[in-house]
Amino acid sequence: LLYTIKFEVTMDYSFLILTAFWIICSLPLAETRLYYSIDKLEEPVFEKQGDFMFAGVFNIGEFTNRTNRATNQTEWVCDPLRGILTYWSLQRALGFMKVLENDVQLSGGYTLGYKIYIGCSSMVAARRISRHLTTDPRVMGCLLPGYKLQVEPIAGLATAYSIPALSYMYADDTLMNQENYGTFMSLLETEKMEADALINYLKEQNYTFIDVWFHSFSTEMAQYVYNEYIAKVGCGRINEYTSSNPGMNIEEIFFSAYQDKGKPAKVQLLLFNNKNSGGDFLKIAIDQLGWNNTVFIFGYTNSRDPYKQLYLDTISNRTDVRNTLVFLGSAFLNMEMPRFTAAMKSPDLLHDYGLNETLIQWYDMFGLYAKKVERTRDIDFVYKRTSSWLGYVTAGTLLLADALETVIKENVSDSITTAAFRRRIFERATLENSTVTIEDTSVNISFTDRIYSNGYSIMIYEVMGPHYTSHLVGHTSYRGLSLLHGELPLPLQSTREQQLCAETCVPGWYRDIPHPTVPCCWTCIPCPSHSYSNSTNSGECVNCGPWETHNANHTACVDVAQDFLSATSKTALVCLGGSIANIVVLVSGMILCLLMKSRPLVKAADPLFLFAFQFGLILGNAALIFALAVPSTPGCHAEYVFLVMYLTLTTSSMWLRAMKINIIFSAANNFCKPRFGKLCTRTGQVAVITSIFVANSSLAAVVLVLVDCWTLHSFQDVVHGNVYLDCKMGNTLGYIPLVLPGLMFLSTLYLAFIMRKFPHNFRETTNIFAATLIVLCSMAMFLTGYKLSAPRIKTLLRALMIYISITALLVSIMGPKIVILASMKDDPDQERERIDLEITAYAASQKTKLASCKSTPYISRHAKSDESIAGKDESVNSQKTI
């Protein structure tokens, strides 16, 4: 009675009474409800005989345990009226039956029957079914169920018996093994092919930051997309939505994926096999995170119309979001079958197709039972929609039937074996193009390597609050992507925010990755001092060498700035100005000596000494100028050579001058002939000065060439700091040319010291002593601070030392002579008379001492030569005059 009225009564007392009456009446009949044991599953539950048979395996029912009243034992049985997805499996079984009952007519008077098995989602059941269907030689084709664990055993055994086995819900690379699954064919691409088709779309949009969410059934596809594309071009997260997170609800799983792991990607790839996961994900993503401008890409299984509409409804419930949903749909997924779909909503219409009455009753009773007993949240969703796989089942059945009809028309020999006949059907189905018509829709089917690969349509939905617009933009497959208009419309093209997690770090910057799990999300940070990066998105900055630093943009290393004592500095200007003044004075003095060479003062002062000494000072000024010039190797060499020449010429001149005075007065003091008398002659002086100057200067040049002793060096106070350029003694052999000038300097100092008590009008030795003492003191201070000073100070000290020594020698020794020469106005004869009068007065003062001498009267040892007679032939004439 309840079945007849179909629960269409209202919820009133009459309904309650009828329900109670039905329950009471059904209790004694509970054992009459259909349950299938494992043994019974290997037989078809519905069968129609024919000359040829097609078998279909559908996952109808679920396993449950029950107590067998006869044996009082608990056993596992398949209940065909359980399982939320059984309703859709029944629809597919009805579609399979409908095609064979109404749409197929074989020529030659042959009839086509069918066997329908219920798989109950069990691998054990699939193994038993495969053994049973292979025992019937009339079976010419088989439709496989949807789970991998069921497809593989049936397809493997079907291959052994050459039975064409067609899958409409599942395919993978394992099943493409020709040896083990030679008669397997699929209306679906393998997961790898599907993944490649998806990757082609991701490439087109230049997405590099993608989060992947997958159900356990899509593990291989998700890992392939992640490893072959996402990890190579960018980064993202890959998260399993269910089994890897036991005890966690969907919201907890969602937040655990992003907690302390950086921001979510703007592109979310959803590879779910059920609508609940996808719907819940969207709800959490939008409600909790408020994602805006986010792209959700759904794999092909989620592109079925029922799921698609649910997702669109979920996301359009919010008025403050703007998102994009992308669906990749197959040719059969949403094939329109309006008449048969309408018939499935009314059992009376199904009867018109001549279908099995028991199957129709199952279908109708399952709906009633599920609606009133299970009351799960999926009931309304399931019973308002038709199975998306119905088009696949219908197309696959027609394809096998057309292949069988083609082989029948070929009039094959009666002696052909069953296996050969089956192989011909398989070949006709897979090697030739076929066109199947489902109600008013025709679809061309052609296989490539036993796979129908027509690609996937790309449907993009722009969601703006409660409204959305759809766009069919093209098709994609593992072979490539084709767009209807050559490119995506501008509003549907990806934005930079969607493509990348971070901006490009230009050269001179480097990437700082705060979360290693998403290495393509970074912050651009400028390279620190003394480092550089010369490529975009550099992972680190390269340190410059100790003598290098970064350029202005931190894109390369450059040599550190060179610093030196600038000629424009105050100290350098003072030294250079004084040097120029010294040169002017020296040149003027040399000119005066030339112009007044006949004057007794010039003759008495020894012109050779004057010229040699002044020329040495000029060489010293040249060394000073090179010391203050821009440092360079040639400049250092010139400074060294001029310094040695200056020291050699000045010290040798002073030493020879002091020696000459000392020899003359020593001879006078001892009333004997002067020793080394030839040294006092002009020829002897020229020979000595010239030989010493040439020999020591040549030695300096040789040492400089051999060991490069005084050369340019770079000094650095701190690493990467400016380099100070200065000349430095690089080898101790460089001190050898300085030994002789040093010895002559000390000897001059000693000789000048012992002659310090000569009369006041013989002051030349006193001046020499004063000059050498000043130089010695300056050198002592110089050497004390030079080693401990910074390079810049060393240059300054060296320049000051040269300048002080030159100035001291110039002022003390040459200054009085130049001043006297410059101030003279008398002619030479008058000057001689003045000098003679001074000498006569001096001789008269010494008359007593001269009278006591036994030998020829000489000047006593206490007498000191005047500047006009020290070292000159004129002094002898003066003594004779005295």
Side-chain angles (χ1 to χ4, degrees):
L1 177 63
L2 293 175
Y3 175 74
T4 303
I5 64 177
K6 298 182 178 57
F7 286 102
E8 292 177 359
V9 297
T10 59
M11 186 61 71
D12 54 12
Y13 292 108
S14 61
F15 173 76
L16 294 176
I17 294 172
L18 289 173
T19 302
F21 175 76
W22 176 71
I23 294 174
I24 294 173
C25 294
S26 64
L27 288 177
L29 303 177
E31 284 296 324
T32 63
R33 180 171 174 177
L34 290 175
Y35 293 102
Y36 292 89
S37 66
I38 290 292
D39 295 333
K40 291 182 66 177
L41 285 179
E42 67 181 18
E43 300 176 359
V45 294
F46 306 110
E47 185 175 8
K48 178 182 178 181
Q49 301 298 322
D51 299 318
F52 301 103
M53 304 287 285
F54 282 167
V57 183
F58 302 94
N59 280 318
I60 297 172
E62 278 186 357
F63 270 101
T64 185
N65 54 11
R66 64 180 289 273
T67 301
N68 190 326
R69 293 189 178 184
T71 62
N72 200 28
Q73 297 276 332
T74 300
E75 59 182 3
W76 281 94
V77 294
C78 180
D79 184 352
L81 296 183
R82 288 183 65 87
I84 189 62
L85 298 181
T86 293
Y87 189 70
W88 282 340
S89 296
L90 288 169
Q91 289 181 349
R92 293 192 287 272
L94 289 171
F96 173 71
M97 189 182 298
K98 178 257 182 187
V99 170
L100 299 179
E101 292 281 3
N102 295 269
D103 301 332
V104 176
Q105 294 292 329
L106 299 180
S107 58
Y110 293 103
T111 59
L112 181 59
Y114 53 84
K115 296 172 181 282
I116 295 180
Y117 299 86
I118 59 173
C120 211
S121 302
S122 168
M123 182 181 68
V124 177
R127 293 183 181 278
R128 292 177 177 271
I129 291 169
S130 63
R131 288 197 297 269
H132 185 272
L133 67 87
T134 55
T135 60
D136 190 346
R138 297 174 300 166
V139 175
M140 296 297 149
C142 174
L143 256 65
L144 302 174
Y147 297 123
K148 177 180 181 179
L149 296 180
Q150 294 175 301
V151 171
E152 289 183 351
I154 300 176
L157 199 57
T159 297
Y161 288 86
S162 302
I163 300 174
L166 187 143
S167 174
Y168 61 90
M169 287 185 69
Y170 178 80
D172 68 4
D173 294 328
T174 303
L175 294 168
M176 293 297 99
N177 187 304
Q178 181 69 33
E179 181 179 353
N180 297 332
Y181 307 99
T183 59
F184 172 82
M185 52 184 168
S186 175
L187 291 178
L188 294 175
E189 294 181 345
T190 65
E191 287 194 346
K192 181 178 179 299
M193 292 178 177
E194 296 166 11
D196 285 331
L198 182 58
I199 288 173
N200 287 333
Y201 177 74
L202 300 178
K203 288 180 180 178
E204 177 66 25
Q205 290 282 40
N206 293 320
Y207 293 136
T208 60
F209 182 35
I210 306 169
D211 288 342
V212 181
W213 296 87
F214 66 95
H215 188 273
S216 56
F217 290 109
S218 301
T219 301
E220 294 181 6
M221 182 177 181
Q223 291 178 342
Y224 182 85
V225 173
Y226 183 83
N227 294 330
E228 296 299 319
Y229 178 72
I230 298 175
K232 291 182 177 179
V233 302
C235 69
R237 306 166 185 85
I238 180 168
N239 306 290
E240 187 174 354
Y241 213 42
T242 50
S243 60
S244 64
N245 303 280
M248 298 177 67
N249 59 39
I250 294 178
E251 186 170 346
E252 291 173 338
I253 294 171
F254 180 82
F255 281 110
S256 68
Y258 295 115
Q259 187 174 10
D260 300 325
K261 296 179 182 178
K263 64 180 181 181
K266 283 294 184 179
V267 178
Q268 298 286 324
L269 177 59
L270 278 63
L271 302 177
F272 301 138
N273 281 4
N274 60 78
K275 61 93 186 177
N276 288 332
S277 299
D280 291 340
F281 179 90
L282 285 177
K283 186 175 186 304
I284 293 173
I286 296 171
D287 291 346
Q288 301 299 326
L289 296 184
W291 284 348
N292 216 335
N293 195 30
T294 302
V295 178
F296 298 95
I297 303 176
F298 295 87
Y300 78 97
T301 56
N302 287 284
S303 296
R304 290 170 279 178
D305 280 335
Y307 292 174
K308 185 189 303 182
Q309 190 59 49
L310 175 70
Y311 300 149
L312 290 170
D313 293 343
T314 299
I315 203 169
S316 63
N317 288 335
R318 293 288 298 268
T319 60
D320 58 342
V321 297
R322 177 185 178 89
N323 289 312
T324 302
L325 272 63
V326 181
F327 296 94
L328 306 181
S330 181
F332 299 124
L333 271 178
N334 303 311
M335 183 174 289
E336 296 292 336
M337 298 179 63
R339 292 190 293 275
F340 189 65
T341 300
M344 284 191 293
K345 295 180 180 180
S346 172
D348 294 334
L349 297 177
L350 288 177
H351 290 301
D352 296 340
Y353 285 99
L355 306 183
N356 184 285
E357 291 294 331
T358 303
L359 186 60
I360 296 176
Q361 291 178 14
W362 276 16
Y363 176 65
D364 196 46
M365 290 174 63
F366 182 86
L368 296 172
Y369 176 76
K371 286 179 181 179
K372 298 304 178 183
V373 179
E374 293 195 3
R375 296 187 181 278
T376 68
R377 62 176 181 173
D378 297 318
I379 295 301
D380 290 340
F381 175 77
V382 171
Y383 293 103
K384 289 179 181 179
R385 294 167 175 85
T386 305
S387 170
S388 303
W389 299 106
L390 187 59
Y392 281 91
V393 171
T394 304
T397 306
L398 288 173
L399 176 68
L400 290 175
D402 288 349
L404 173 61
E405 173 67 11
T406 300
V407 174
I408 291 174
K409 289 181 178 180
E410 291 176 352
N411 296 320
V412 296
S413 172
D414 293 338
S415 61
I416 190 172
T417 63
T418 302
F421 192 82
R422 288 169 172 170
R423 281 195 296 271
R424 286 199 174 210
I425 297 174
F426 174 78
E427 291 171 357
R428 295 299 176 272
T430 56
L431 299 181
E432 297 180 0
N433 292 336
S434 302
T435 301
V436 298
T437 302
I438 302 174
E439 293 190 359
D440 299 327
T441 305
S442 296
V443 177
N444 180 267
I445 301 177
S446 60
F447 285 84
T448 302
D449 294 332
R450 296 178 291 139
I451 293 289
Y452 170 69
S453 178
N454 194 38
Y456 302 91
S457 60
I458 306 173
M459 291 292 297
I460 299 181
Y461 289 78
E462 288 185 280
V463 180
M464 292 159 286
H467 308 286
Y468 60 84
T469 56
S470 62
H471 309 269
L472 175 64
V473 298
H475 297 84
T476 182
S477 71
Y478 71 95
R479 293 185 294 267
L481 179 140
S482 62
L483 300 174
L484 296 181
H485 303 290
E487 63 179 1
L488 290 169
L490 187 60
L492 304 181
Q493 293 178 9
S494 59
T495 64
R496 190 169 184 82
E497 182 185 14
Q498 294 166 354
Q499 292 175 0
L500 303 170
C501 182
E503 293 296 325
T504 300
C505 294
V506 298
W509 297 62
Y510 74 98
R511 299 176 300 173
D512 177 54
I513 302 175
H515 303 284
T517 54
V518 280
C520 66
C521 295
W522 59 75
T523 302
C524 294
I525 298 178
C527 289
S529 298
H530 316 303
S531 63
Y532 75 98
S533 67
N534 56 7
S535 61
T536 57
N537 293 332
S538 177
E540 61 180 358
C541 295
V542 181
N543 290 327
C544 297
W547 299 88
E548 297 176 323
T549 187
H550 59 271
N551 62 4
N553 299 322
H554 285 264
T555 57
C557 284
V558 295
D559 293 337
V560 295
Q562 294 181 345
D563 195 8
F564 46 86
L565 183 62
S566 173
T568 58
S569 65
K570 293 181 180 179
T571 304
L573 289 175
V574 170
C575 293
L576 287 174
S579 178
I580 294 172
N582 289 343
I583 293 174
V584 172
V585 172
L586 290 169
V587 173
S588 300
M590 293 177 72
I591 294 173
L592 285 173
C593 290
L594 287 174
L595 294 176
M596 300 182 180
K597 61 183 178 179
S598 60
R599 297 243 181 193
L601 180 62
V602 176
K603 292 180 178 181
D606 195 345
L608 177 63
F609 166 72
L610 295 177
F611 284 107
F613 187 74
Q614 290 182 95
F615 184 67
L617 294 180
I618 292 175
L619 293 177
N621 283 281
L624 175 61
I625 293 173
F626 278 110
L628 296 175
V630 177
S632 63
T633 299
C636 291
H637 292 172
E639 178 190 352
Y640 179 75
V641 172
F642 279 109
L643 183 63
V644 172
M645 294 168 65
Y646 152 64
L647 295 175
T648 303
L649 197 55
T650 54
T651 57
S652 64
S653 299
M654 289 191 302
W655 173 76
L656 193 59
R657 181 65 171 168
M659 181 67 73
K660 182 177 178 180
I661 296 173
N662 187 65
I663 289 172
I664 293 173
F665 279 92
S666 294
N669 185 55
N670 297 320
F671 301 99
C672 63
K673 182 179 180 181
R675 290 178 296 175
F676 311 106
K678 293 184 178 181
L679 189 64
C680 299
T681 64
R682 181 170 299 179
T683 303
Q685 294 180 61
V686 171
V688 171
I689 292 177
T690 303
S691 59
I692 293 175
F693 178 73
V694 173
N696 208 47
S697 299
S698 301
L699 178 62
V702 171
V703 171
L704 189 63
V705 171
L706 293 179
V707 297
D708 195 20
C709 55
W710 188 260
T711 187
L712 183 66
H713 278 257
S714 299
F715 301 90
Q716 193 175 43
D717 294 332
V718 294
V719 177
H720 307 298
N722 287 352
V723 171
Y724 188 80
L725 300 179
D726 191 21
C727 302
K728 178 184 177 182
M729 187 67 75
N731 194 299
T732 54
L733 295 177
Y735 293 107
I736 294 177
L738 301 178
V739 173
L740 182 58
L743 294 175
M744 290 190 295
F745 176 82
L746 295 176
S747 178
T748 301
L749 180 63
Y750 171 74
L751 292 174
F753 176 75
I754 64 176
M755 293 187 293
R756 67 187 183 282
K757 294 184 178 180
F758 281 11
H760 71 280
N761 51 352
F762 294 93
R763 297 285 186 176
E764 187 169 25
T765 53
T766 305
N767 293 339
I768 292 175
F769 174 74
T772 52
L773 184 61
I774 293 172
V775 173
L776 181 64
C777 294
S778 301
M779 288 181 62
M781 292 186 292
F782 166 76
L783 293 175
T784 301
Y786 190 78
K787 282 290 185 182
L788 302 177
S789 301
R792 182 187 298 273
I793 304 301
K794 288 183 178 180
T795 307
L796 178 61
L797 287 177
R798 197 169 66 251
L800 286 175
M801 182 59 212
I802 297 173
Y803 176 71
I804 291 172
S805 65
I806 294 173
T807 305
L809 295 174
L810 176 62
V811 172
S812 298
I813 298 175
M814 292 302 303
K817 295 178 174 57
I818 295 175
V819 171
I820 293 173
L821 289 174
S823 61
M824 278 187 176
K825 296 181 180 179
D826 299 332
D827 58 20
D829 293 335
Q830 292 177 344
E831 181 183 359
R832 180 173 295 277
E833 276 185 32
R834 181 179 60 79
I835 294 174
D836 289 343
L837 290 174
E838 289 181 2
I839 293 174
T840 302
Y842 176 74
S845 67
Q846 301 296 327
K847 183 177 180 180
T848 303
K849 293 181 181 180
L850 289 175
S852 63
C853 292
K854 295 181 181 180
S855 59
T856 304
Y858 279 83
I859 300 176
S860 72
R861 60 185 179 89
H862 299 289
K864 296 182 182 179
S865 172
D866 186 67
E867 290 178 345
S868 61
I869 62 174
K872 295 296 183 176
D873 292 336
E874 288 81 355
S875 63
V876 179
N877 296 330
S878 298
Q879 292 175 20
K880 290 179 179 180
T881 302
I882 294 170

